[in-house]
Amino acid sequence: MMHRSLHATLAALVALCSLVADARAQVAPDLVVVVANDLGWEDLLALDTPYVDALAATGTSFLEHYVDPSGAPTRFALNYGVYGARERLGFDLDPSDPTSVGASLERVPLPRALQMQRYRSGCFGVWDITGAADARTVAAARICGYHHWHAGSAHRLSAAHGDSHSLWPRIDDGEVTIESTYSTTAIVDAFLAWWSAPSATPRLAYVALAGPGGPNEAAPTALLPAGHPVPTNGRERYESAVLAFDHELGRLLAGLDLTSTVVVLTSDGGPPTPLKPPTDWFPGYGGSPYGGGVRVPLIVAGAGVSAGTSERLTHAVDVPATLLELAGDAAPAVGFEDGVSFASDLTGVPSARGPVLSLSFQPNGAPSALAERWCAVDDDGHALVWNGATELLFDLASDPLQTTPLPVPVPGSDPIVDALRALKLSIAP
Amino acid sequence: MLTVRGFVVAAVALVVAFTARTTDASTAPPGSGALAAAHPIPSSIPQPRAASPAAPPDVVLVVIDDMCWEDLFHVATPNMIGLALQGQVCTSFYVHPVCSPTRIGLNFGYYAVREGVAGALNVHDVDAATPPDRLALSQVLQVNGYATALFGKWHVNTVGDGHLTESPRRYGFEHWYAGVDGNIGKEGASSQSSWRPIEDGYDQHVTQYSGDRITEDFEDWWSQPSARPRFASVNYTTPHEPWTTPPSHLLPPGYVTGLNKRSRFEASVAALDGFLGRICAAVDLSTTYVIVLTDNGTPHNVTPPGPWYKGYKLSPWQGGVHVPLLVAGPGVQPGFNSHLMHAVDVPETILELCGLTAPFGFEDGESFAPSLFGAMPPRAPVLVQYKRYDPATATLLVDDWAVINAHGMKLVSEGGIENVYRIASDPFEIMPIWMPQLAQSLKAVKEAVDP
């Protein structure tokens, strides 16, 4: 009940703010990108997440948003506007491997390009883009252009690596300390501390929360609705982490001035397959190339962004191009070449986009990839899926849950499918 | 020992120090004169083509650690002279008399005192030195499509700024090879042949002479094919202390290094000239700008025999702040260039040579690129400065500075005593001139930066 009233208040507040947003649209907005770890649309529908709902109510929800089946290439795409496969980045980095190779540093990252528009930048939370062989992990996000990196983790928190959401090594501008505050809370606190300081120039914050994925632990009771039952299994623990994520998202949003800030809320991938939603809509979840793994939330709200939904096809690679356009740099000198800005869709003007590719593979850095999983989708909803064994074709317009594969035309016989296959081969031959 | 050759070098350098100061680049006869007659161009130096390149040029910035003009009178540097014959010898180039502020200027184009740095940084200081959101030359180049790499010394950051083995990569250098975060160490306690170069974040002990390693890493990087134009910042850790005798294979045949510090310093310069020859052999001057300069003057404890100047490193006298700058590359007509320049001008000059401009920052710099191709309006006066604090009490012990204008008038403040000198006629700063109004206007330049 309390959450519902807060929800309504926040929604009203945000709506009010967006009314005056147009007047400020000429000024370069502050930009906040919030990335959840392993969160799907289906999880949000299954649970009461008032703050996500409030943000969605005032902003634009992109219903056809795709990411890669693995976190690292998605996070790379969000920062570089380039498919991870172009840098042989296809899978999450192994935190215990000193030879792990991630993204190349010979690319222009978003915060560096935005600094040309006078943006200052901060990264908060999970990085998981560069490996230990690329750079000192304590410096990773700052080498890639962020001026500060607080409450940082070089990789996704991993139980196998000895991490817990309530006991994890945190990085603050190169210093490592052991943090016993719940990861999501600590990351949001670090963001708020940086954000609340006055700034003469616009800012970019990249807030990559460690939950609700990562070590499968029950969230602290204080972050859950009163009387929330004690979780008894993996899915319930995961759901408690989703609720905690939403609670802390509310705290983060309360620290923003949405008349001058654009917020992007998204996820790096669907929920872990062992913890999939009981509704079980899709043939596969986290790590898979099916809708439950690669079709995730993207909600954009704030300065100048109209309320509604968009069916414009988007991919994580589109986010940097969009933010650069919002910042006044529609055509950066180099880089971001796979992204297509969806800035116009934020004001209700639909834009077109060619097909997108969601791809994961192992190992990173190898000249020829093994264990590929991919899905190429076009804006008419044709989805060509490679699940590691078989090529499958779906018509998402009539079969969004991918229950009925269609016969796959042989190469050369169907221009639509050929185009999807050509996209994949052009990025990962 | 004054050989005929040494005499010619000395005569030529005197030309540099005196005559050329009032000579415009446009009037200097290209590729002729005593220099050309005395020193045939080494085969390692390719002839530049006259036409400007259509594609963005490559840039190699070479930074020598602790050397002034006078040292070139005592050591044969055929490669440096060969490069000078291909490009311009800039005779009015000023730097701070100490490493860190000059290097901050070279990378960020501002007087480091604006961020509280006016002396050599202790890299282990927990206080921050250079803000992470300062826009660097390397970042502007990288964002505009350049491949960027730093080789050797940095000395711009402290641990208060972040992890020392990654410092330059936070500012847009994609790679840092043969890296040194500050200095290799002190004379008597460390060696240029036993050190820990940083290679992209990780350091390990080697026994390879520092300059050889730095050059080799540059050669490796430069020889890789690149679809992008390149910017290499090559920062030697010599002839700065420790004055380790360079291995004989890095010295000219038959070179004998004496035992005292000055002899080992001079041997370090001779070895450095060999490294410069290797750099010149690796680059194509028809598409590459090569800029060679020094971060400050000769160390005060290895000054040349019969020293000319009142002061060297750490002092505001010419031996500390007036250092060599050579620029060669596409379109640069050989000759002397007397345009007033400062280390803070280097970033915007490189950007202009690359056809780029900085969106903001670099507030103290003024590009001198036009002076490389013709006449340009004189530069506003420049500031050089050194401060030292008591590490225990933070009391200011030394606050020396100088301001130099485009007419070669220099206001020196040493130990609180201020005097004006006319460098054009009095390069050794022997006779102060009573010019109170000029002194006031030059002091205002300093006060505007550091009240």
Side-chain angles (χ1 to χ4, degrees):
Chain A
M1 197 60 213
M2 188 189 70
H3 275 287
R4 277 297 174 206
S5 63
L6 267 176
H7 172 188
T9 312
L10 190 75
L13 199 72
V14 169
L16 196 69
C17 292
S18 59
L19 286 178
V20 292
D22 283 346
R24 302 274 310 264
Q26 296 307 310
V27 180
D30 285 332
L31 304 169
V32 179
V33 179
V34 182
V35 185
N37 183 16
D38 298 350
L39 179 69
W41 286 114
E42 207 175 341
D43 304 305
L44 293 175
L45 291 169
L47 293 162
D48 182 12
T49 52
Y51 298 103
V52 174
D53 296 354
L55 197 69
T58 63
T60 303
S61 296
F62 288 85
L63 304 177
E64 320 251 338
H65 177 63
Y66 285 83
V67 296
D68 298 307
S70 183
T74 299
R75 293 166 194 272
F76 176 73
L78 288 169
N79 279 280
Y80 288 82
V82 173
Y83 289 117
R86 294 201 192 274
E87 295 292 344
R88 307 309 305 149
L89 178 64
F91 206 73
D92 284 329
L93 297 157
D94 179 352
S96 54
D97 178 5
T99 65
S100 71
V101 178
S104 163
L105 296 165
E106 296 173 356
R107 288 266 182 189
V108 178
L110 176 64
R112 238 179 233 158
L114 279 174
Q115 198 183 356
M116 296 300 130
Q117 310 297 318
R118 296 179 175 265
Y119 275 73
R120 293 167 53 242
S121 59
C123 177
F124 305 89
V126 173
W127 185 241
D128 196 31
I129 294 176
T130 44
D134 302 308
R136 290 274 181 167
T137 52
V138 292
R142 298 182 83 202
I143 293 173
C144 297
Y146 287 100
H147 297 135
H148 293 285
W149 186 23
H150 291 301
S153 175
H155 50 80
R156 309 207 294 177
L157 297 187
S158 148
H161 190 54
D163 302 324
S164 151
H165 283 295
S166 298
L167 202 66
W168 53 289
R170 71 175 271 172
I171 297 166
D172 292 272
D173 281 357
E175 288 276 340
V176 182
T177 50
I178 301 300
E179 178 60 85
S180 57
T181 302
Y182 186 65
S183 64
T184 302
T185 299
I187 293 165
V188 169
D189 283 347
F191 162 76
L192 290 172
W194 185 71
W195 196 259
S196 62
S199 174
T201 56
R203 289 168 291 179
L204 164 71
Y206 174 77
V207 188
L209 301 170
N216 184 229
E217 298 158 352
T221 315
L223 303 181
L224 302 176
H228 188 83
V230 176
T232 56
N233 61 36
R235 175 68 195 177
E236 289 176 12
R237 285 192 292 275
Y238 170 83
E239 289 187 351
S240 79
V242 175
L243 296 174
F245 162 80
D246 186 63
H247 182 278
E248 296 302 85
L249 177 69
R251 222 156 51 81
L252 182 152
L253 294 174
L256 305 182
D257 174 3
L258 285 181
T259 63
S260 58
T261 308
V262 173
V263 183
V264 176
L265 173 66
T266 188
S267 161
D268 74 331
T273 297
L275 308 174
K276 64 186 178 186
T279 37
D280 199 7
W281 288 349
F282 291 100
Y285 288 86
S288 85
Y290 296 103
V294 296
R295 190 173 173 183
V296 300
L298 172 66
I299 301 166
V300 184
V305 180
S306 51
T309 59
S310 169
E311 293 180 1
R312 200 275 207 172
L313 183 64
T314 61
H315 187 283
V317 292
D318 297 341
V319 170
T322 305
L323 298 183
L324 282 163
E325 184 174 345
L326 293 176
D329 185 11
V334 289
F336 312 99
E337 60 262 37
D338 289 325
V340 181
S341 169
F342 52 81
S344 77
D345 301 83
L346 300 175
T347 55
V349 181
S351 65
R353 204 234 189 276
V356 299
L357 178 70
S358 298
L359 169 67
S360 71
F361 57 83
Q362 295 185 62
N364 289 325
S368 66
L370 305 168
E372 277 190 344
R373 305 277 186 280
W374 54 267
C375 166
V377 190
D378 69 18
D379 62 353
D380 290 327
H382 303 106
L384 185 67
V385 172
W386 172 256
N387 61 14
T390 315
E391 220 174 39
L392 301 164
L393 181 64
F394 298 99
D395 174 20
L396 300 181
S398 63
D399 179 25
L401 303 183
Q402 301 169 312
T403 56
T404 317
L406 304 169
V408 182
V410 295
S413 67
D414 183 319
I416 292 171
V417 175
D418 287 345
L420 295 174
R421 209 177 270 123
L423 170 68
K424 190 271 164 185
L425 291 173
S426 72
I427 292 161
Chain B
M1 182 176 71
L2 185 65
T3 60
V4 172
R5 175 196 167 82
F7 179 79
V8 172
V9 171
V12 163
L14 282 169
V15 170
V16 170
F18 298 99
T19 320
R21 192 173 307 286
T22 54
T23 309
D24 230 12
S26 52
T27 62
S32 64
L35 263 174
H39 295 276
I41 302 161
S43 58
S44 62
I45 310 282
Q47 294 280 343
R49 278 182 235 137
S52 292
D58 293 331
V59 178
V60 179
L61 172 66
V62 180
V63 182
I64 297 165
D65 203 0
D66 289 4
M67 190 190 82
C68 79
W69 284 111
E70 192 181 352
D71 295 310
L72 297 177
F73 286 65
H74 296 270
V75 189
T77 53
N79 291 300
M80 205 174 297
I81 289 172
L83 184 69
L85 288 170
Q86 302 297 293
Q88 287 190 11
V89 179
C90 300
T91 56
S92 300
F93 177 60
Y94 285 87
V95 293
H96 300 290
V98 64
C99 166
S100 298
T102 294
R103 288 165 195 273
I104 289 168
L106 291 173
N107 284 284
F108 301 91
Y110 68 89
Y111 290 127
V113 72
R114 291 188 188 277
E115 301 286 358
V117 178
L121 289 170
N122 168 10
V123 297
H124 298 294
D125 197 330
V126 293
D127 293 330
T130 302
D133 51 0
R134 276 284 186 178
L135 195 56
L137 168 65
S138 41
Q139 174 166 345
V140 179
L141 288 171
Q142 203 244 353
V143 168
N144 284 286
Y146 270 75
T148 55
L150 183 87
F151 303 84
K153 180 170 171 171
W154 179 242
H155 213 177
V156 163
N157 288 113
T158 62
V159 290
D161 294 320
H163 203 285
L164 288 174
T165 65
E166 293 288 15
S167 297
R169 297 212 291 170
R170 292 198 300 270
Y171 298 97
F173 281 110
E174 294 171 348
H175 296 287
W176 187 21
Y177 296 125
V180 179
D181 53 22
N183 289 322
I184 280 185
K186 289 283 183 191
E187 170 75 0
S190 57
S191 165
Q192 302 282 353
S193 294
S194 177
W195 57 301
R196 300 186 66 85
I198 297 162
E199 309 283 344
D200 276 356
Y202 297 90
D203 60 330
Q204 60 173 346
H205 179 257
V206 301
T207 55
Q208 186 177 8
Y209 186 77
S210 62
D212 190 36
R213 175 76 168 210
I214 291 165
T215 310
E216 195 173 280
D217 280 4
F218 164 79
E219 289 167 332
D220 286 349
W221 187 71
W222 199 261
S223 65
Q224 290 164 21
S226 172
R228 300 179 291 165
R230 292 167 288 182
F231 171 55
S233 179
V234 186
N235 300 260
Y236 288 99
T237 60
T238 51
H240 191 290
E241 67 175 324
W243 296 291
T244 308
T245 303
S248 58
H249 73 275
L250 300 176
L251 290 167
Y255 191 101
V256 177
T257 307
L259 291 178
N260 67 35
K261 283 188 291 202
R262 175 69 198 181
S263 297
R264 286 180 276 123
F265 171 90
E266 290 184 3
S268 307
V269 174
L272 194 67
D273 191 66
F275 305 141
L276 190 62
R278 283 162 61 182
I279 289 176
C280 290
V283 305
D284 175 358
L285 279 183
S286 69
T287 57
T288 309
Y289 288 102
V290 176
I291 301 169
V292 181
L293 56 85
T294 300
D295 69 336
N296 53 249
T298 314
H300 47 89
N301 46 357
V302 288
T303 52
W308 292 348
Y309 294 111
K310 277 178 158 167
Y312 290 84
K313 184 178 179 181
L314 309 184
S315 91
W317 304 107
Q318 292 292 81
V321 300
H322 178 232
V323 297
L325 169 64
L326 310 177
V327 184
V332 177
Q333 288 304 309
F336 293 116
N337 182 338
S338 63
H339 185 74
L340 180 64
M341 304 169 185
H342 188 285
V344 293
D345 300 337
V346 170
E348 281 165 305
T349 302
I350 290 176
L351 288 175
E352 187 172 348
L353 292 174
C354 299
L356 301 170
T357 51
F360 63 97
F362 309 97
E363 62 263 39
D364 294 314
E366 291 182 20
S367 168
F368 55 79
S371 78
L372 302 171
F373 310 102
M376 71 176 288
R379 192 208 191 289
V382 296
L383 170 69
V384 297
Q385 195 175 25
Y386 172 62
K387 292 185 187 184
R388 187 161 63 85
Y389 295 87
D390 184 322
T393 64
T395 312
L396 184 60
L397 300 177
V398 176
D399 183 6
D400 294 342
W401 51 270
V403 176
I404 305 98
N405 74 11
H407 305 295
M409 302 306 297
K410 179 179 179 187
L411 173 67
V412 180
S413 173
E414 189 196 38
I417 297 168
E418 298 172 10
N419 276 306
V420 174
Y421 297 89
R422 183 168 178 239
I423 298 301
S425 60
D426 180 20
F428 305 130
E429 299 159 288
I430 294 162
M431 294 188 296
I433 305 175
W434 178 245
M435 295 180 78
Q437 285 188 347
L438 178 71
Q440 202 173 18
S441 72
L442 293 179
K443 186 168 185 174
V445 173
K446 187 263 179 188
E447 298 288 333
V449 174
D450 180 32

